[in-house]
Amino acid sequence: MIQEWLKKSESIPRKHGLYRMEAILGALGNPERELKSIHIAGTNGKGSTAAMVTAFAKAHGLRVGTFTSPHMDSIRERIQLDGVPLEEEPFWQAASVVREVESRLFEEWGAFNYFEILTAMMFVVFQQEAVDLAIIEVGIGGLLDNTNVGHPLVSVITTIGLDHQDLLGSSLEEITAQKAGIIKSGQQVVVGPVTRECMDVIRGVASEKGAAVQAFGEAFSLVEDSYQDEALTIPLGQLALHGAFQKENASVAIRACQAWMEATGRSMQAEFIEAALPVVSWPGRMEVLQDTPLIIIDGAHNLPAIERLIQNMTERFGKKQTLLFSALTRKDSQQMLARLQEALPDVNIILTSFHPSRGLSIARSDVEAYLDSPKISFEESFEEVIERFACSIDDKSELWVTGSLYFIAEVRHWWNNRKPKEE
């Protein structure tokens, strides 16, 4: 059964390096070579930026393929056409194509892992669908990521922070070098707000490759809630995505779209960008589940994302806020929790568990040291916590649900399938 084969691949260790991916794509006829793509790396903001570029390109009448991870509800969300998850039949047909290649290469390469399969499927689908633009989000890092094949017209680095240090390096400079590994010769490189030290690393790699850097704050900027460059000003007030940082992501997305348009002999139209801003969506990031009382979910899954969450919460004065948090044990959950406790001393923090398909959720024993604080508690059932808030009539209360993207996906799935209690 093809579904069982894909599920089984989740247990095969992820292998960083391009030699396996290149062999797989070679056996598929190198579909990646036919794509005119934008490749997006970064610690945070990759998915939101991809969603915005998708919306902008669609508004220009282009056929768009988008590849992102992880997914919220369905694995098919990872491979999208014109912003819509791939239908069941073509998804599993593409899986069958890749499985056949695995059988041919098995003696030399063994079983393919989950991300190898999905990446190969994406290239097969985008070639078959003859997309005008392929938007491809990096899985982890960049240099050795399975997506780092072919020759995208534009590379994007959204933000850089400490995450996946076990794989990418312990310093920001080491992590930057990994993310800058997606830069290719002669292309445009759009860079979001990063530190001077990180920018120096990016410029060094770009110089070696003969690539042109377009940096946030230099080639383009965010000025009074508007995207601005030497020729354009585009107001971002209608952007549907919540959070102040999303306007930074929007600025990066606009510049990336513009660079790709220029590389393909097209012209970006400001009015099409403005028309797309109110319809952009990206689930699980500053997503409002209920208005009164406010329940909002935000996948803040590393320390830089936690800082953005803190900024968004502290901007809402006069509210009685509760934070519901869970994460995988392999993540730096202790550091994230310590930072939340330090920055939000008046917020009630409820820790909880969930049931990830991969890895282990934090449990009470992992956070026992924090439970001495009167502001921090542990509850086994996140469902009961959210249900309690959802039924409250206190319009001054807010529940912010955060942590691992896998936790947010589980919360979102439960919320969309729950049966509200009778009045």
Side-chain angles (χ1 to χ4, degrees):
M1 191 84 170
I2 191 74
Q3 288 88 344
E4 293 174 1
W5 167 75
L6 183 57
K7 182 69 178 173
K8 187 178 178 182
S9 73
E10 293 186 33
S11 63
I12 299 171
R14 189 166 180 161
K15 300 173 180 69
H16 288 266
L18 301 180
Y19 55 94
R20 286 173 58 90
M21 201 69 230
E22 287 168 349
I24 295 167
L25 293 174
L28 288 166
N30 292 111
E32 78 284 1
R33 294 179 183 174
E34 298 182 28
L35 301 178
K36 295 179 173 67
S37 60
I38 296 175
H39 199 194
I40 303 176
T43 302
N44 292 308
K46 298 187 296 293
S48 299
T49 301
M52 285 186 266
V53 178
T54 299
F56 300 158
K58 275 182 62 184
H60 284 78
L62 298 173
R63 177 78 159 150
V64 191
T66 311
F67 181 63
T68 59
S69 60
H71 58 271
M72 285 285 125
D73 294 315
S74 165
I75 189 174
R76 293 181 292 108
E77 294 170 19
R78 294 177 181 238
I79 304 174
Q80 300 194 9
L81 294 172
D82 294 332
V84 178
L86 197 60
E87 295 288 344
E88 289 272 2
E89 186 175 347
F91 183 89
W92 295 114
Q93 282 177 347
S96 297
V97 169
V98 176
R99 187 183 189 186
E100 192 276 329
V101 168
E102 183 193 70
S103 67
R104 281 194 277 134
L105 300 182
F106 189 84
E107 189 171 333
E108 182 176 3
W109 297 108
F112 297 169
N113 65 51
Y114 187 67
F115 200 69
E116 287 171 340
I117 292 169
L118 290 169
T119 304
M121 286 171 59
M122 172 268 294
F123 283 123
V124 167
V125 169
F126 291 173
Q127 180 203 37
Q128 289 175 344
E129 293 290 331
V131 298
D132 298 307
L133 165 60
I135 301 164
I136 301 169
E137 179 190 327
V138 166
I140 294 177
L143 178 65
L144 302 177
D145 188 73
N146 287 330
T147 62
N148 195 23
V149 291
H151 199 295
L153 298 179
V154 178
S155 285
V156 178
I157 300 173
T158 55
T159 60
I160 294 172
L162 294 175
D163 196 19
H164 298 295
Q165 290 100 306
D166 55 328
L167 296 171
L168 305 181
S170 58
S171 70
L172 284 177
E173 288 79 9
E174 288 175 315
I175 292 170
T176 304
Q178 288 291 317
K179 296 188 186 300
I182 69 170
I183 296 172
K184 304 294 189 298
S185 62
Q187 69 174 187
Q188 297 292 321
V189 184
V190 177
V191 184
V194 301
T195 65
R196 182 179 299 175
E197 292 76 14
C198 293
M199 183 59 78
D200 287 344
V201 174
I202 293 168
R203 288 193 192 281
V205 175
S207 178
E208 289 174 11
K209 299 287 181 67
V213 173
Q214 301 183 23
F216 182 89
E218 296 177 12
F220 65 101
S221 302
L222 177 64
V223 180
E224 294 181 351
D225 285 347
S226 291
Y227 166 88
Q228 200 167 94
D229 62 29
E230 60 183 13
L232 278 176
T233 297
I234 301 175
L236 303 178
Q238 294 300 308
L239 179 63
L241 300 182
H242 298 282
F245 61 93
Q246 291 293 7
K247 291 186 173 69
E248 294 176 355
N249 291 337
S251 299
V252 172
I254 291 170
R255 191 64 177 191
C257 184
Q258 185 177 40
W260 184 89
M261 292 280 189
E262 291 171 355
T264 56
R266 294 175 169 90
S267 176
M268 189 182 77
Q269 303 299 313
E271 61 267 29
F272 293 161
I273 302 296
E274 290 188 52
L277 291 170
V279 298
V280 177
S281 65
W282 190 236
R285 279 71 162 191
M286 290 295 291
E287 181 182 3
V288 175
L289 298 185
Q290 179 174 294
D291 289 315
T292 307
L294 179 71
I295 300 176
I296 191 165
I297 57 175
D298 186 38
H301 60 291
N302 52 38
L303 277 170
I306 287 292
E307 293 297 340
R308 297 298 186 110
L309 173 78
I310 290 167
Q311 177 187 347
N312 286 319
M313 290 184 69
T314 52
E315 284 175 355
R316 295 180 61 83
F317 302 108
K319 299 294 184 179
K320 189 167 65 178
Q321 295 174 325
T322 298
L323 187 73
L324 180 62
F325 175 88
S326 193
L328 299 175
T329 54
R330 70 169 185 260
K331 295 291 288 188
D332 49 355
S333 53
Q334 300 288 335
Q335 291 175 322
M336 291 190 283
L337 186 51
R339 178 62 186 135
L340 288 168
Q341 185 181 27
E342 174 191 41
L344 303 170
D346 297 323
V347 172
N348 290 311
I349 299 175
I350 300 174
L351 310 177
T352 190
S353 297
F354 67 112
H355 309 94
S357 60
R358 304 168 75 181
L360 293 171
S361 162
I362 58 170
R364 176 184 284 272
S365 57
D366 297 311
V367 295
E368 200 74 52
Y370 293 91
L371 300 182
D372 291 337
S373 167
K375 287 286 187 178
I376 300 180
S377 59
F378 185 93
E379 295 195 33
E380 288 289 348
S381 171
F382 72 78
E383 297 94 336
E384 290 183 8
V385 175
I386 299 173
E387 195 68 65
R388 193 164 67 237
F389 272 83
C391 297
S392 168
I393 58 171
D394 183 359
D395 62 1
K396 291 283 195 297
S397 290
E398 296 180 348
L399 177 64
W400 293 66
V401 184
T402 194
S404 163
L405 288 172
Y406 295 102
F407 173 51
I408 296 302
E410 189 169 322
V411 168
R412 197 170 182 275
H413 179 77
W414 168 78
W415 178 269
N416 289 335
N417 291 279
R418 77 191 252 276
K419 293 182 174 62
K421 291 183 178 178
E422 297 293 329
E423 293 289 337

